[in-house]
Amino acid sequence: MKYTPINKSFFIQNRRKLAERLDASSIAVFHSNDVYPTNADGTMPFRQNNDLFYFSGIDQEDTILIVFPDSVEAKYKEVLFIIETNEHIAIWEGNKLTKDKARELSGIETVFWFHEFDTVFKQLAYDATTIYCDQNEHARAEKLIDTRNDRFIQSCKTNYPLHTFKRLAPISNALRSVKDPAEIDTIRKACDITKDAFARVLKTIKPGVREYEIEADIIYEFVRKGSRGHAYQPIIASGANACVLHYIQNDQVCNDGDLILMDFGAEYGNYASDLTRVVPVNGKFTSRQKEVYTAVLNVFKEIKKIIKPGVTLQELNIQTGKLMTRELLQLNVLKQEDLEKPNGEQAYKRYFMHGIGHHLGLDVHDVHVKNEPLKEGMVITLEPGIYIREENIGIRLENDILIVSNGNIDLMEHIPIEIDQIESIMHS
Ligand code: GLY
Ligand code: MN
Ligand code: MN
C-alpha cells in the first residue's frame, strides 16, 4: 500500500453512525467497484467504491460489507467479505488481504470469503424487513453502465421481492460531507503533495515546453510522494486553451507571452485535493494579465472572508456574481449597458460560467446534502475564474478550504498565489 491507512477507529465510528440512522430490522449492503475492462485482457487501475471504503477501510477489489445492527446473533452485526487468495493470484498479483489483516484495517471481526456472500446473505436477509442498498446519486453522474451495487439491487429485488428497499446514499452523503480529523489530515497530505508538484513545475515552465511535459513533472512528484496519481484528469491549458473549462488534451506548445492554467490535484489514500494556478509561460505577467489575475484574486480573497458555518454554497455564488460583475466592469469587459439589459445581473456568467466551489473529499466533487449550510468539518473548494475568449486569457485560482467553528482554514495557504511570489520563484 502506498499510503498510511487511517486508523480503524475511524471506520468503526462511521459504521456506528450508520447503524444509528438505519431503520429497525434493516440490513445495509455495500459493494466494491468492478475492475473495469479496457481491451483484450487489459483493465483500468482499480478504484474502490467510496462508500464501501468509508465504512470499511478496505481498499481491495471483490469486497462486500454488511451492516445489520439488529441481528440476533452479535457476530452478524457487521460482516465483511474479501477475495480468497490462492496460489495463482499470489504468483501473478502478490499478496491480497488475509482475514486478519482485513480485521486490523476495518475493525470488523466477522470476515468471510467473497464467494460465500450469497449463502450468508440469504441467512441474514430473512431476519430483516428492510434492505438498504447503495447507489451513486450524484446529480451529474452519467449512468452508462451498471455498477456492482446496481446489479445487486436488481438481483435483490428479484430474490427478495417482499422486503422493503431503502436508499443508503442520503445517509452516506450526509455523513461523508463532514470530515473527521483523520480525513482532514489525509486531505492535507494530498494538498501538500500537490504543493510540491506546483513547486516543481514552476522551475520547468518556459516558452516552447509542451503542456504534457508539465503534466509529466506533476505525476512524477505525485508518485514519488506516495500518491497513486491524479485525483481527476489534470487540465494543463496554455493560452486560449485556458478558456476551455474541461480541456484535458494537454498537447500544445506553451508560447512566450501566454499564460498557462494548471488545474490538478494529488489523491492520497483515496482522498482528493484540487488546485488551480495560472502562471505566465515566460515568468512575467503582462499588465493586462496582471489586471485580470488581480480581479480573480480579489474575488477569491473576498469570498474566502465569508466562508464559515451557516453559509450556503448558493449564497457564496450570489455574492460571487456581485463581485464578478464589479471586477468585470472594472476590467472593461462588461459595460454598464450590459447590466441594464434583461437579466443584466447575470451578464457576468458569460465570463465566469461555473460555480464558486464544491465539496471535496473521497470524491473531487464530493457528496453532500443539497442546499445544506456549511458546517464545521466540511471541506470545499474556492475557485473563482474569469475567461475572456476575445483576449485568449483564462484565469482560475482554486484552493481547498476547511470550515472551522469561527470561519475557515485554507488548506492550500502555503501554495504561492500572489503575482510577485510567482514571478520571483519563476525567476530564481
Ligand atoms: N478540477 C475540477 C474542478 O475544479 O472542479
Ligand atoms: Mn474544483
Ligand atoms: Mn480544479
Side-chain angles (χ1 to χ4, degrees):
M1 200 182 280
K2 285 182 181 163
Y3 61 90
T4 310
I6 296 178
N7 189 285
K8 67 181 175 196
S9 58
F10 168 66
F11 303 106
I12 293 170
Q13 165 194 285
N14 293 346
R15 289 192 300 276
R16 183 183 48 72
K17 289 182 184 167
L18 168 67
E20 285 165 8
R21 286 160 176 79
L22 297 176
D23 286 355
S25 185
S26 63
I27 186 166
V29 186
F30 297 87
H31 287 258
S32 59
N33 278 336
D34 281 309
V35 177
Y36 291 102
T38 53
N39 295 287
D41 60 352
T43 57
M44 304 277 284
F46 174 66
R47 178 60 166 82
Q48 187 55 285
N49 176 281
N50 283 335
D51 281 345
L52 177 97
F53 180 77
Y54 185 79
F55 291 110
S56 72
I58 302 296
D59 198 357
Q60 182 171 275
E61 71 280 13
D62 289 345
T63 302
I64 307 173
L65 167 68
I66 288 179
V67 177
F68 186 13
D70 294 340
S71 167
V72 280
E73 284 187 81
K75 68 174 183 175
Y76 290 122
K77 286 178 187 287
E78 297 180 341
V79 187
L80 190 64
F81 298 83
I82 58 170
I83 187 170
E84 182 175 15
T85 197
N86 56 38
E87 185 70 4
H88 176 83
I89 294 176
I91 289 171
W92 286 83
E93 297 180 34
N95 289 333
K96 298 284 171 186
L97 296 177
T98 61
K99 287 187 178 180
D100 276 344
K101 185 69 188 168
R103 288 185 185 106
E104 187 186 316
L105 288 167
S106 66
I108 297 171
E109 283 308 311
T110 308
V111 183
F112 287 97
W113 297 127
F114 180 75
H115 61 80
E116 296 172 294
F117 174 76
D118 284 343
T119 315
V120 175
F121 182 65
K122 194 168 175 183
Q123 275 179 45
L124 303 182
Y126 290 123
D127 291 339
T129 50
T130 300
I131 303 174
Y132 276 86
C133 297
D134 200 22
Q135 247 198 336
N136 178 5
E137 297 190 2
H138 199 289
R140 285 199 305 274
E142 281 193 68
K143 200 162 169 352
L144 300 175
I145 51 165
D146 284 342
T147 63
R148 286 186 178 214
N149 278 316
D150 293 333
R151 300 198 296 273
F152 176 70
I153 292 168
Q154 287 157 13
S155 74
C156 231
K157 287 195 157 180
T158 303
N159 295 331
Y160 304 98
L162 300 182
H163 279 71
T164 303
F165 288 88
K166 287 210 158 183
R167 295 153 53 212
L168 279 168
I171 301 173
S172 58
N173 291 357
L175 291 178
R176 279 177 49 191
S177 68
V178 178
K179 275 67 185 174
D180 180 88
E183 293 180 283
I184 293 164
D185 284 349
T186 311
I187 295 173
R188 270 188 198 279
K189 174 83 180 157
C191 291
D192 290 347
I193 297 173
T194 301
K195 166 187 174 281
D196 293 345
F198 182 58
R200 171 172 286 276
V201 299
L202 279 184
K203 296 198 192 107
T204 55
I205 292 172
K206 56 179 182 301
V209 80
R210 288 222 177 228
E211 292 162 352
Y212 57 71
E213 293 179 70
I214 298 168
E215 186 180 336
D217 274 330
I218 293 169
I219 192 75
Y220 173 82
E221 197 63 32
F222 282 3
V223 174
R224 67 193 285 269
K225 295 283 165 63
S227 160
R228 265 189 305 218
H230 293 282
Y232 53 91
Q233 291 199 68
I235 298 166
I236 311 293
S238 60
N241 300 331
C243 296
V244 180
L245 295 179
H246 289 160
Y247 174 84
I248 49 169
Q249 288 90 329
N250 305 349
D251 59 358
Q252 296 300 302
V253 173
C254 302
N255 292 317
D256 199 353
D258 277 348
L259 294 171
I260 175 141
L261 180 152
M262 296 167 287
D263 183 342
F264 63 91
E267 80 83 54
Y268 184 79
N270 287 329
Y271 284 80
S273 60
D274 186 1
L275 172 84
T276 309
R277 286 292 183 271
V278 178
V279 306
V281 169
N282 64 15
K284 186 138 187 59
F285 289 90
T286 66
S287 58
R288 180 58 172 170
Q289 288 166 351
K290 270 188 191 171
E291 280 173 6
V292 183
Y293 191 101
T294 304
V296 177
L297 191 54
N298 288 342
V299 177
F300 177 95
K301 287 177 178 171
E302 289 195 44
I303 295 296
K304 190 152 100 173
K305 283 188 209 146
I306 59 170
I307 297 178
K308 59 173 193 247
V311 177
T312 63
L313 278 174
Q314 292 92 312
E315 286 160 357
L316 294 179
N317 276 313
I318 290 168
Q319 190 56 24
T320 303
K322 291 181 184 154
L323 296 172
M324 277 293 173
T325 303
R326 182 193 76 191
E327 296 294 334
L328 289 164
L329 284 171
Q330 179 78 22
L331 290 170
N332 231 357
V333 170
L334 280 185
K335 308 274 184 313
Q336 195 56 41
E337 65 248 33
D338 293 323
L339 306 189
E340 281 148 22
K341 292 178 191 158
N343 288 326
E345 73 285 353
Q346 304 284 320
Y348 75 87
K349 287 194 172 167
R350 182 172 153 73
Y351 302 97
F352 174 57
M353 45 304 257
H354 54 79
I356 188 61
H358 51 82
H359 288 253
L360 181 88
L362 284 166
D363 283 297
V364 181
H365 296 163
D366 207 26
V367 295
H368 59 281
V369 178
K370 202 170 174 180
N371 300 340
E372 189 181 34
L374 296 177
K375 285 184 192 162
E376 193 177 345
M378 289 180 170
V379 178
I380 62 166
T381 65
L382 168 59
E383 50 181 304
I386 293 180
Y387 311 92
I388 314 173
R389 273 165 290 173
E390 303 82 349
E391 301 184 41
N392 286 347
I393 294 181
I395 295 178
R396 172 166 68 256
L397 297 171
E398 177 175 23
N399 279 11
D400 303 340
I401 312 285
L402 167 68
I403 316 302
V404 295
S405 61
N406 59 349
N408 67 73
I409 293 173
D410 185 344
L411 301 177
M412 292 181 153
E413 194 155 34
H414 53 342
I415 306 184
I417 196 167
E418 297 291 340
I419 286 177
D420 51 356
Q421 276 179 309
I422 289 183
E423 288 188 341
S424 99
I425 297 168
M426 290 184 81
H427 286 152
S428 63

